[in-house]
Amino acid sequence: MSGLRQRPGPTRGRGDLRPQQRLPSPIQEVYNIIPVQDLLADHPSLRYPEVRAIAAALLRPVLNLPAPTFITLAPHADLMDWLGVSFGFQRGNVRNQREHLVLHLANSQMRLQPPPTNADELDPGVLRRFRRKLLQNYTSWCSFLGVKSHVHLSTRRGNSNDLTRELLYVSLYLLIWGEAANLRFAPELLSYIYHHMAMELTKFIDQHIDEFTGRAFVPSISGECAFLKCIVMPFYRTIKTEVDSSRNGTAPHSAWRNYDDINEYFWSQRCFESLKWPIDYGSNFFDTVDKNKRVGKTGFVEQRSFWNVFRSFDRLWVLLILFLQALIIVAWAGTKYPWKALEERDVEVELLTVFITWAGLRFLQSVLDAGTQYSLVSKETPWLGIRMVLKSVVALTWIVVFSVFYERIWSQKNADGRWSFEANQRIITFLYAVFVYVIPELLSLALFLIPWVRNWIEGLDWVVVSWLTWWFHTRIFVGRGLREGLVDNFKYTLFWFVVLVWKLAFSYFLQIKPLVAPTKALLSLSVVRYNWHEFFGSSNRIAVVLLWIPVVLIYFIDLQIWYSVFSSFVGATIGLFSHLGEIRNMEQLRLRFQFFASAMQFNLMAEDQSLSPKATLVRKFRDAIHRLKLRYGLGQPYKKIESSQVDATRFALIWNEIVFSLREEDLISDREVELMELPPNCWNIRVIRWPCFLLCNELLLALTQAKELADAPDMWLWVKICKNEYGRCAVIEAYDSIRHLLLTLVKYGTEEYSIVSKLFEEIDFNVQNGQLTAAYKMDVLQKIHGKLASLVELLVKQKNDLSQAVNLLQALYELCIREFPKIKKSIAQLREEGLIPKNPATDEELLFENAIKLPDAEDADFYKQLRRLLTILTSKDSMHNVPLNLEARRRIAFFSNSLFMNMPRAPDVEKMMAFSVLTPYYDEEVIYKKGMLQDENEDGISTLFYLQKIYEDEWNNFMERMRREGMDEDDDIWTTKLRDLRLWASYRGQTLSRTVRGMMYYYRALKMLSFLDSASEMDIRTGTQEIASHHSLSQNHGFVDAIKPPTAKKFSRAVSGVSLLFKGHEYGCALMKFTYVVTCQVYGRQKARGESHAEDILYLMKNNEALRVAYVDEVQLGRGEVEYYSVLVKYDQQLQREVEIYRIRLPGPLKLGEGKPENQNHAIIFTRGDAIQTIDMNQDNYFEEALKIRNLLEEFKMNYGIRKPTILGVRENVFTGSVSSLARFMSAQETSFVTLGQRVLANPLKVRMHYGHPDVFDRFWFLTRGGISKASRVINISEDIFAGFNCTLRGGNVTHHEYMQVGKGRDVGLNQISMFEAKVASGNGEQVLSRDVYRLGHRLDFFRMFSFFYTTVGHYFNTMMVVLTVYTFLWGRLYLALSGVEREAKNQSVSNEALGTILNQQFIIQLGLFTALPMIVENSLEHGFLPAVWDFLKMQFQLASFFYTFSMGTRTHYFGRTILHGGAKYRATGRGFVVVHKRFAENYRLYARSHFVKAIELGVILAVYASHSPLAKDSFVYIAMTISSWFLVVSWIMSPFVFNPSGFDWLKTVYDFDDFMNWIWCKGGVFAEADKSWEIWWYEEQDHLRTTGLWGKLLEIILDLRFFFFQYGIVYQLGIAGQSTSIVVYLLSWIYMIAAVGIYVVIAYAQDKYAAKKHIYYRAVQLVVTTLTVLVIVLLLEFTNLKFIDLVTSLMAFIPTGWGLISIAQVLRPFLQSSVVWETVVSLARLYDMLFGVIVIAPVALLSWLPGFQAMQTRILFNEAFSRGLQISLIISGKKSTK
């Protein structure tokens, strides 16, 4: 195809940025994975008969199908080609889907158990199962709408015609899906298209007669690109028009249709009536119709309001509100225990008021529904409007009914003066009404207890069912049958029951009951002398309300805290039972290493699958027993591994490959490789040669034991040595190695050779007869050991000192002959036994002199074995520090631990599920450039220097590797080894190259596993020897006095261990099972511009054969027309250049919705397999984890509850924790979320969604249901989680598996983290408005809904409420202090009992510590309790609490603002290394509105309260009450500087302040940006107010009114007020405001007019104004009660008022901007920002000025290694500057 349809275009044909080479001819068509077109090609995957069978099944039946009109098919055309021509599909799409189908069916057929009798034919069962899965959503849709499916197949089995039809139906769906582009986000729209095209296909192949023409039926669309132009483009244009009308997402969601609205139009019969087929383009669905007449929102209207939290989760709020009411009623009775109060009839009757409240809440819900969803009502949906009205009427009726019945109870009681029989009868009447009211709830409860009945009813598509449920909810396609099984139901119900009981008990005894007495006392305060003009009489009701508000808020949000606490312990318990954290470190691995070998064999080696299905239960039981044995070392499974040499060798191959991969990543050194690898058997050693780090010290221990038991029987000594398996192996290996070494050193055929042989024979004889201790002196062994060690050491040094070797051998001989035997033998006996030379004339002194042959220096393998022997002989320490690198230790510990956890057995690679990995990429870093590594920041620190300090051991290992690979000088690293250096740095950042390397480990692992699956014993035995000789790298650098051998073999990545043994089929097998697609959206543009990113991506393709790159190509046609194509490319190793595989035209620009999901969606058509793993650009993978992918994919076959999984969640390991303390806090928080948090969500709560990206999706399930993310503009800004919502709503099941982990990077600087938090919080704000959350809130059962709320949007909502609680508490205290109520209460000693309660209100922030509990618990589980506590304390010393409090502010600000005003947007966070000092102005811009202004407001409240509250006079009470609020203020102001490199450097602070002032005064020009001009930034900060609705503006103004309260409260406290409480005092105080603004305006006007040219006039105006101001102040001081201190106090009153006025003016900007007032508003706002800046920088400046703070801050911020480096660097740069 590439040859036929290649058109010249600006961004194509530049494969590898070198001169263009000849394209392949059409015959050798470029293929992706398998050459389907050419089945005779020499390709490893074509050896599988299944591939050929499927290709043949597509090819054969074409002859029997009706010929397409006007077009002749090519000679070798198959079913796909026939469909493509008949229905107008693109050739690229046909080729892509052909390979897709062949590959999938071949893989499925390979998995058949038992295998089909004829492998050369397509198995009908395989095709049938695939058709059912692929068309399952279409079938459900037909059933839902009550239309008949157009997939017509005969019921008889084995009909070959049926096989063809089935292939056609499946292929048709794939072709529609493959070309649908953006329409893939609307799965039911695809079902609609498929429905009609399947009908046309059926008519065409059955050769129906067309009723309109009377001729044979032909499809309504055909021809080149017909499907795209006639079907896809009209829908695409409609979506695009809607998106364009959203004004880039700033228009209200209710004003335009998003992807969901488009899709949900096809959930009702009207789509058939309106759109018809062939499609009626004049339908009011399309954009061809005027907007007013067009179809509006469908199914749901997203409205901005906090009421959405109530609407979506009304059941939760009803429960909490009703319980609150009940608790207050019971507490008000004043009994000691609540159950005592319930014995009183009055209380019982008062409790009935909860039903009136309940009915009231129902009415509120119905009003909210009508108020938000009214625009759904249209001519086509009249019943919706009727139901809205009816619901409100019914709710109102119930309110009236309950109120009347309730009033009648009390009137009867009051008339009778007691609870008479009549009064009780009226109670019973009320209860009858209640029974009728709760009938629906009782029915719901019954169905909750028998979930399968509810699932069955909801799954029925009967009209009767929809009539019966019409009152409760609209009938929708999703959200049906979501109930879980009984067991799961019981588990999460129990969890929430315990949490709720605890919460209600806590709330009653510690929140509500203690507040009752002070409330009663406050209400009974008779005469209160207010300090001000009181509008509401003197009932103290406002004071009571202010006392209760914080407590009520806490009551509503503390469930979040109790959820955190209980979920931590439940998660830890589940973790314990999952065997997490059993191997925490290398020491524990050492103890279990032999079981680890068996566990690896058991889990990673394919099991024999020839068993019949009946045997599966027995097999499961046997597996469980085997796991138990492995886990606890029962039955010594390692004995088996030694007896089976092949198993041992298999284990060695895998283990060594893991060790080599760690070496390639530079996590371990060459020396550590030798200590850790498991060498193959050689030198006739009789035992497994465990890695050296396990055998160290064991030989010396055995020698000591031999000395101690010198006279004991052999058996005793041997039993003692064998107590430790490693001791036994060390002794036998050392003995066998020494024998081999001595017999190698001594020349064969010499007398000395025979003496040595005889000596060993004698020792062997004594050992066999149990006579060793009887025959020999055990204490001499240590002398022999010393000489042997010297000999081996001498040989290792390769000094070729023959005389020394002879001396040592003679000394050994003397020891063995003379001293070692207990019985002295005469010379004659010795000569007779052949232990001395036969010829008496031979001088013993000259023994060995001419009989030694030193080994060849080139024999690297021999020296490697020698080094191992030396290590066993001499190592005295226990090598706890091998490997040295912490990351290597963590990975090995996790991997070994995971093999003892429960996981499915692995199938053969051939029989495993195929899968793909998909990574969306835009234009982030691929490989770091040289300049980026070298460029220094203002402190003289380069990125490379930073990396060298943080990863010091890895840098040393890298340099060692480079020297081994031929680097002579260290400076060569910047020349000959530059690419290696760039890659080394990139693998430590968050780059595409790191992600690609990680994901390609899957390919490498599958190739190795494929080899091991099929390798014979012979292959494995001979293979290990081959690898050993190849891998004798002679890594002599690690040894003292070592000399590098002349031909040190390279140990490069290109030929890693096992790959030397591959026979060829492994590549084909791995390619069929794994594809990696990176969707580099703008790669075409990057190539055209010759950017380095494109070169680097090409380099990655070149080095990774399974990597494919998809991108969007823009082809300019002239006249401004552009065509867009989805293109897939690969690097062709034969042609040595990039080649284009597929090119599929798109209907228009790719990005209509959010960028990332659109990018994923365009490339998903190029993925293959049953599963797809979504991986982000900031992720990594590890070779040892990739080995477990077969096991993980088997989970799709297991049942979890009543369903099989559709998303498999796996753990993440956050790898950025070592970069700085901030990164560590972030990683600790993230780690607990992605481990413990996800574990609890999946089991027992069953509400895990899809967060983040190592999750593995059931690919065919998702591709027919809208894909792996949602893409509607703004509402789906957190695109990932919507895949989870969609999955749950459509009946999927999400699980979580912890035996596998994927690396993940997180943001590391405060500004990056804050932008990330802002993005997530805004995303959660949008989720609150979304239909998915509303539906889950209503369709999940009661307790799953609780779980769902508290783990998604509820978490953010409650975080915001925490901050709101602090606000209400402080504003409440301020009111009580300024009004005088607090004084009166104190005087009448009401306050004393209230004080305890007030302190209780403070517990909320202290309870914030409980949110850190999951971190501590998870850490304890995985690393032990003490390390976890120490870790937590260390984090506190590094000011982690500051960071967590600060990020709480970020989340609150953005979550609240998004719900109110919108403005959510994707924020690129950078993900670089943060070693750069951020300027003060930059921090101010980022945090002024979210943190600084709020913190200053709270600070002012606290200060005013301190100066006016009688309670504050007692400093202890004041501190106890406000300490957590002060902590909040300090952390919000100081965190950006504490966590800013060089944040307390005095010079930098001075420069920063100058820079800030320049920014403040800079006038904004036309092209100015926010970082250059305050004015531009100020306008940008108000953007959200321009797009918000009327309610948003109103609420903003109401909130801003709080700033006027300062003035109202404080002016009455001033001396000038003369203790008057008249309203006139407040009104007169506004004169001050008017005067102040007037003065400012006059000065500003004078400055504008005179400052430049008539400076003297300007000075004169200043003088006059100053004189008048001073004169007025003097007169006031003289003639009124004004005190001088009043001038300072009044600032606290009037500055907030000014800010309030400015804030309101911003909301009213559309009306004020054109008036003269606006200039003044802008000028005043500038002054305020300057004032805030000075307030914020003052403490920073003070700390910078004090000595020692800068050094302390650096130590807090960076880990010590880098801190040291930083100090050194500063000294060096200081020296540089002094030169």
Side-chain angles (χ1 to χ4, degrees), residues 908-928:
D908 280 340
V909 174
E910 282 186 15
K911 294 194 180 299
M912 72 177 275
M913 281 186 169
F915 75 108
S916 295
V917 177
L918 180 65
T919 298
Y921 164 86
Y922 190 65
D923 65 350
E924 298 89 341
E925 288 295 337
V926 182
I927 304 175
Y928 290 138

Side-chain angles (χ1 to χ4, degrees), residues 84-355:
V85 169
S86 302
F87 290 94
F89 292 112
Q90 295 176 51
R91 174 126 168 75
N93 179 26
V94 170
R95 288 182 57 236
N96 181 31
Q97 295 308 328
R98 177 189 292 115
E99 188 198 64
H100 186 189
L101 183 65
V102 169
L103 203 55
H104 177 71
L105 291 176
N107 272 318
S108 301
Q109 192 150 323
M110 284 158 82
R111 286 205 301 274
L112 273 188
Q113 204 61 37
T117 44
N118 186 0
D120 289 323
E121 281 189 13
L122 167 59
D123 185 83
V126 166
L127 181 58
R128 191 182 317 113
R129 280 189 292 277
F130 179 50
R131 190 250 312 153
R132 281 181 187 152
K133 179 162 192 172
L134 190 69
L135 302 181
Q136 185 186 18
N137 193 56
Y138 164 69
T139 312
S140 305
W141 176 79
C142 289
S143 169
F144 177 77
L145 291 182
V147 296
K148 196 169 183 308
S149 163
H150 283 315
V151 175
H152 297 298
L153 296 164
S154 70
T155 47
R156 284 180 305 141
R157 291 265 174 107
N159 185 341
S160 67
N161 193 28
D162 241 21
L163 199 69
T164 306
R165 285 183 93 102
E166 212 160 352
L167 270 172
L168 282 169
Y169 286 131
V170 164
S171 304
L172 180 66
Y173 190 92
L174 288 176
L175 288 167
I176 291 170
W177 173 79
E179 210 167 313
N182 304 64
L183 273 51
R184 285 191 282 271
F185 288 116
E188 281 69 58
L189 162 55
L190 289 192
S191 294
Y192 178 83
I193 294 169
Y194 179 75
H195 182 69
H196 291 97
M197 290 183 74
M199 172 193 72
E200 292 196 345
L201 173 64
T202 308
K203 287 182 177 178
F204 190 32
I205 54 179
D206 290 346
Q207 296 182 328
H208 279 232
I209 300 300
D210 193 323
E211 58 195 67
F212 299 112
T213 62
R215 294 181 185 166
F217 182 89
V218 289
S220 57
I221 48 161
S222 60
E224 181 74 14
C225 260
F227 176 73
L228 181 78
K229 289 171 183 169
C230 305
I231 307 291
V232 178
M233 279 186 174
F235 286 106
Y236 172 86
R237 277 196 297 269
T238 301
I239 299 169
K240 189 170 188 312
T241 305
E242 294 287 349
V243 171
D244 292 344
S245 70
S246 77
R247 302 198 304 273
N248 200 21
T250 57
H253 291 304
S254 54
W256 58 285
R257 289 183 293 171
N258 57 32
Y259 280 121
D260 285 331
D261 292 306
I262 298 289
N263 185 49
E264 288 176 25
Y265 184 77
F266 297 89
W267 288 2
S268 69
Q269 283 279 0
R270 61 179 170 159
C271 64
F272 292 100
E273 297 149 20
S274 169
L275 291 175
K276 307 184 179 61
W277 189 271
I279 288 173
D280 173 12
Y281 303 121
S283 158
N284 66 345
F285 176 85
F286 292 108
D287 64 333
T288 48
V289 177
D290 186 54
K291 181 147 178 91
N292 302 329
K293 295 176 187 170
R294 211 183 298 156
V295 172
K297 297 287 284 182
T298 317
F300 190 84
V301 183
E302 298 92 351
Q303 299 279 14
R304 289 211 177 278
S305 168
F306 272 108
W307 284 112
N308 282 303
V309 178
F310 178 80
R311 268 194 74 224
S312 300
F313 302 96
D314 57 322
R315 292 177 291 169
L316 178 146
W317 294 108
V318 165
L319 176 93
L320 289 177
I321 290 166
L322 298 186
F323 265 113
L324 176 64
Q325 185 179 341
L327 293 175
I328 291 172
I329 290 168
V330 171
W332 200 261
T335 57
K336 188 174 181 186
Y337 297 110
W339 45 91
K340 297 280 186 204
L342 293 173
E343 290 168 8
E344 297 173 20
R345 182 51 56 90
D346 282 25
V347 175
E348 288 171 356
V349 174
E350 282 167 5
L351 282 173
L352 294 177
T353 54
V354 298
F355 292 102

Side-chain angles (χ1 to χ4, degrees), residues 124 208 258 282 284 345 436 449 467 522 563 578 585 594 901 1017 1130 1134 1283 1350 1460 1466 1502 1505 1541 1559 1577 1643:
H208 279 232
N258 57 32
N284 66 345
R345 182 51 56 90
V436 175
L449 295 173
W467 286 347
L522 263 178
Y563 165 77
S578 307
N585 50 43
Q594 58 259 47
M901 293 167 72
E1017 272 191 44
K1130 70 171 184 179
Q1134 270 135 5
Y1350 284 106
L1460 265 186
Y1466 180 81
L1502 288 164
Y1505 180 68
W1559 172 72
W1577 168 79
I1643 298 273

